[in-house]
Amino acid sequence: MSTYEAWAGQVIEKIRRKMARVSEKNQDKIPYTTDEAGNYDDRSDSSKSWNIDNGLNWWTNGFWGGMMWLMYQDTGEKKYLDIARQSEQKMEKCFADYYGLHHDVGFMFVPTAVADYRLTGNENSRKIGMHAANLLAGRFNPVGKFIRAWNDLTEDTRGWAIIDCMINLSLLYWASEESKDPRFKQIAMLHADTVMEHFVRPDGSVNHIVEFNPDTGAVIRSLGGQGYGEGSSWSRGQSWALYGFALAYRHTGKQEYLDTAKKVAHYCIANIGADGIVPLDFRQPPEPAYEDSCAACVIASGLLELEKDLYRNAAVRILKAVDEKRADWSESCDAIVQNCSPSYHNQVHHITMSYADYYFIEAVYRLKGIGKPMW
C-alpha cells in the first residue's frame, strides 16, 4: 500500500464518522452552507424553485445527493441510497418550473440522477438525466459555438459563456454514450474548443466570463466575474478549467484537451504556496488574504484525473492542507471543509459550501481507489 493510500484510509475513517451523523441529521434537506451555529441550511423548498438564490433550482443542489452516492459506494449502506433518491426526487420538480434552470444542470443532475442510473440502473433516473442533457444542449449558440451561461436577470447574458460550464459538459458526454446520439458530444466539443481558444491564456490562467455577440459569434470582451477583476485568475475558475479539460480528454481522447488541462494544472501548481492553501484569486492583492478551500478541493480532484506522479503529489499536498488546516471534524459543524468563498467582491467570505465537501470526499476516495468515476 502506498503512503497516499494509507493517508487516504485514515481520512476516510474520519469522513465515515462525520457523514454518518451529518447525513441522518440532514436527511430531509438539500444543503448549501452552514449557519453561525454550524447547522446546514436547506435549499429544497419547491415553492421557491425558480429563485436562484435559495430555491430548489440552486445550482449546487446536486452535490448533497452526490455525497450520498459517494458514501453508498464506500459503505454499501442503504440509508445513503435512500437519502440520495429522496434528494433526486425533489429535484425532478425543477423541470416543471423550468425558469430557474440554466447551464448548471450538469452540476445538478450528474452527481444525482446520472449517478443513480450508473450505479443502480434506475430507469427514471436515466429519464431525468436525458431531460437535463437536452436542456443543456438547447442552450448552445451555433454561431458562436458556445453554451450560453445563466438567464437574463439583472443584465443581458445572451452572449455570455463561463469557464464553469466545462464540468457541465460531462452531462452531454454521458448523454451521447447512453443514447448513441453524437449530437450531445459534438456540442460539448465545440464548446470546449471555444473555451480553449478564448478562455485559456498562454500561461495557463483563464478568464471566468467571455462575452460574445450572440448574433455573429464575435468576441466582445472578457469579464472578471467572480474573481478579483478583468485579467485576474479566479482560483475556482482555474479548477473548473483543469478538471473540465481533463474530463473532456477522458471522454473524447482529443490530445489538445489533455494538453490544455496540463497547462492549467502547471499554472495552478506554480501559484499554490508551500502551505497548500489556495487563494480566492491567484492574482488578488496581498490583503485581504481571501482563500477558497472549495477551489482547492476541485483542483485536487482535477489533478488526480491526470494520474501522473507530478499531479498526484500536488493533489495530496493540497488535500493534506485541507485536512490538517481547513477541515472541521467535530460535531459542532455539519460541513467538513472551511474557508470557502463565493466570489472576491462578495460581502461574505470564508464560509462552508456543500460542493467543497463533495470534491474533498471524491478526491480522497479516488486516492484510495474506492468507487466509480462520477463525471
Side-chain angles (χ1 to χ4, degrees), residues 14-312:
K14 293 192 286 187
I15 290 171
R16 289 169 180 163
R17 289 194 295 270
K18 178 103 178 183
M19 292 306 297
R21 181 188 66 84
V22 170
S23 62
E24 292 180 8
K25 177 184 174 184
N26 299 283
Q27 59 185 296
D28 295 323
K29 297 180 178 179
I30 301 180
Y32 166 62
T33 190
T34 51
D35 60 21
E36 292 182 358
N39 298 308
Y40 265 141
D41 65 355
D42 184 13
R43 303 294 172 106
S44 66
D45 186 349
S46 60
S47 69
K48 300 177 180 177
S49 61
W50 62 272
N51 188 324
I52 64 168
D53 291 325
N54 56 14
L56 189 59
N57 280 350
W58 180 242
W59 75 274
T60 69
N61 277 1
F63 291 107
W64 175 245
M67 280 189 274
M68 296 303 104
W69 286 118
L70 290 171
M71 299 307 301
Y72 177 70
Q73 288 192 85
D74 173 26
T75 68
E77 294 183 35
K78 186 174 180 294
K79 70 172 183 177
Y80 292 118
L81 180 151
D82 291 340
I83 298 171
R85 284 261 174 87
Q86 179 175 295
S87 175
E88 179 185 336
Q89 288 164 4
K90 289 179 180 179
M91 289 175 60
E92 189 174 4
K93 299 175 184 176
C94 294
F95 296 128
D97 285 336
Y98 175 71
Y99 286 119
L101 295 172
H102 48 65
H103 65 276
D104 280 332
V105 289
F107 282 128
M108 295 174 71
F109 294 105
V110 169
T112 52
V114 175
D116 190 350
Y117 177 68
R118 280 173 165 159
L119 295 174
T120 73
N122 185 351
E123 283 296 327
N124 189 61
S125 298
R126 181 187 185 276
K127 179 184 71 174
I128 294 172
M130 290 302 300
H131 192 165
N134 275 282
L135 288 176
L136 183 58
R139 301 185 68 86
F140 183 69
N141 181 313
V143 176
K145 299 179 182 178
F146 66 88
I147 293 172
R148 177 193 172 176
W150 296 308
N151 302 319
D152 292 339
L153 291 172
T154 59
E155 54 190 313
D156 182 356
T157 62
R158 290 174 300 156
W160 286 22
I162 61 173
I163 196 66
D164 316 40
C165 205
M166 283 301 302
I167 306 290
N168 289 300
L169 299 184
S170 291
L171 178 62
L172 300 179
Y173 296 130
W174 168 79
S176 263
E177 294 162 5
E178 183 59 32
S179 67
K180 304 299 186 283
D181 188 333
R183 292 175 304 146
F184 298 103
K185 182 178 180 180
Q186 289 164 358
I187 288 172
M189 293 182 72
L190 287 168
H191 178 86
D193 291 345
T194 297
V195 172
M196 271 199 307
E197 181 178 359
H198 296 296
F199 281 74
V200 183
R201 305 177 186 126
D203 66 353
S205 65
V206 300
N207 292 305
H208 179 201
I209 302 170
V210 174
E211 181 178 6
F212 300 86
N213 182 313
D215 295 312
T216 68
V219 173
I220 297 174
R221 58 176 175 161
S222 63
L223 298 92
Q226 290 169 248
Y228 175 66
E230 185 177 352
S232 67
S233 178
W234 179 47
S235 59
R236 198 155 74 250
Q238 297 292 146
S239 76
W240 299 141
L242 164 56
Y243 202 174
F245 276 106
L247 291 169
Y249 172 71
R250 190 218 297 168
H251 287 288
T252 68
K254 186 171 180 176
Q255 183 64 39
E256 290 89 343
Y257 295 161
L258 179 60
D259 295 340
T260 302
K262 288 180 177 179
K263 180 163 66 173
V264 177
H266 292 168
Y267 176 88
C268 292
I269 293 170
N271 284 278
I272 296 174
D275 61 2
I277 301 299
V278 175
L280 197 166
D281 193 305
F282 288 123
R283 293 175 181 167
Q284 69 189 24
E287 295 295 336
Y290 293 141
E291 303 173 13
D292 187 9
S293 298
C294 184
C297 296
V298 183
I299 287 171
S301 259
L303 290 170
L304 291 175
E305 181 72 25
L306 296 177
E307 296 184 338
K308 302 295 184 182
D309 285 345
L310 166 67
Y311 307 115
R312 188 179 295 109

